[in-house]
Amino acid sequence: MICLTGDVHYDYDGPEQQKYDGSEMDATVEYTEIASSHGINLTLFVTGKVVQSEGQKLRLVAERENVEIGGHTWSAFRPLWLHRRVFNRLFDSIYGPKLFQRYDVYRTLQILERFLNEPIKSWRTHSYASTDATYEILSDSPVEAISDEKDPDARSPYK
């Protein structure tokens, strides 16, 4: 069995989004069509703002049987000045203090759950930037799987 993952950000005009003629959600629709035609399962980690910016396209993607939607922070750490300059310097974390992380996680989970009419069971923090606080917050949520592993030697799931 093949299962692929991907991250879907709202259209924030980052440099990586200028390499495709269309929004990141347009590329996601195409990606899911290709995966579906080959019987490949996908978990797509989606920022909360995608619901606001391109909800109709997200609905098309989420309705596919081979697609699971997971959370991916509210806004992909935008604005950058807040996350890189303030949070990183004051809290030694681009994600910010625990109180902000809790707000970000639950805001993201709530909008996705309301939009999709089902609980979100998977999470990947943008830039894999989880902290111990993130894991603690997620342990009190419906999330069952966190996809933030960066260890190239990790070969199987673990708790």
Side-chain angles (χ1 to χ4, degrees):
M1 178 212 274
I2 297 172
C3 180
L4 298 176
T5 67
D7 300 341
V8 185
H9 310 96
Y10 72 100
D11 211 12
Y12 59 76
D13 235 4
E16 64 278 1
Q17 290 187 333
Q18 295 172 5
K19 298 187 184 316
Y20 181 80
D21 290 334
S23 71
E24 194 164 322
M25 209 47 230
D26 291 332
T28 301
V29 170
E30 187 176 338
Y31 177 66
T32 57
E33 288 171 0
I34 293 167
S36 183
S37 72
H38 293 282
I40 297 172
N41 295 320
L42 300 172
T43 299
L44 299 173
F45 298 98
V46 178
T47 61
K49 286 187 84 167
V50 167
V51 174
Q52 294 177 328
S53 65
E54 298 192 81
Q56 289 179 310
K57 292 174 188 170
L58 177 58
R59 186 154 323 276
L60 291 173
V61 166
E63 288 175 349
R64 293 191 173 274
E65 286 187 34
N66 65 314
V67 175
E68 173 194 19
I69 300 296
H72 190 55
T73 74
W74 178 256
S75 62
F77 299 151
R78 299 307 194 263
L80 284 177
W81 65 266
L82 174 65
H83 291 273
R84 287 193 179 155
R85 293 188 188 131
V86 178
F87 286 170
N88 213 21
R89 287 182 184 157
L90 293 178
F91 303 102
D92 197 30
S93 164
I94 192 170
Y95 205 162
K98 185 176 181 179
L99 185 63
F100 179 84
Q101 288 188 44
R102 183 177 305 284
Y103 172 71
D104 183 85
V105 166
Y106 280 96
R107 184 179 186 195
T108 304
L109 293 177
Q110 284 177 346
I111 197 168
L112 288 170
E113 287 173 3
R114 284 187 196 137
F115 185 77
L116 300 169
N117 294 316
E118 62 185 26
I120 301 302
K121 305 261 185 198
S122 299
W123 181 269
R124 177 181 288 158
T125 300
H126 185 69
S127 300
Y128 306 104
S130 290
T131 65
D132 289 342
T134 318
Y135 296 116
E136 183 181 329
I137 293 162
L138 289 167
S139 73
D140 293 331
S141 78
V143 170
E144 297 173 358
I146 302 169
S147 178
D148 279 2
E149 182 59 65
K150 294 183 277 188
D151 181 355
D153 295 323
R155 297 286 183 240
S156 60
Y158 61 89
K159 291 190 178 213

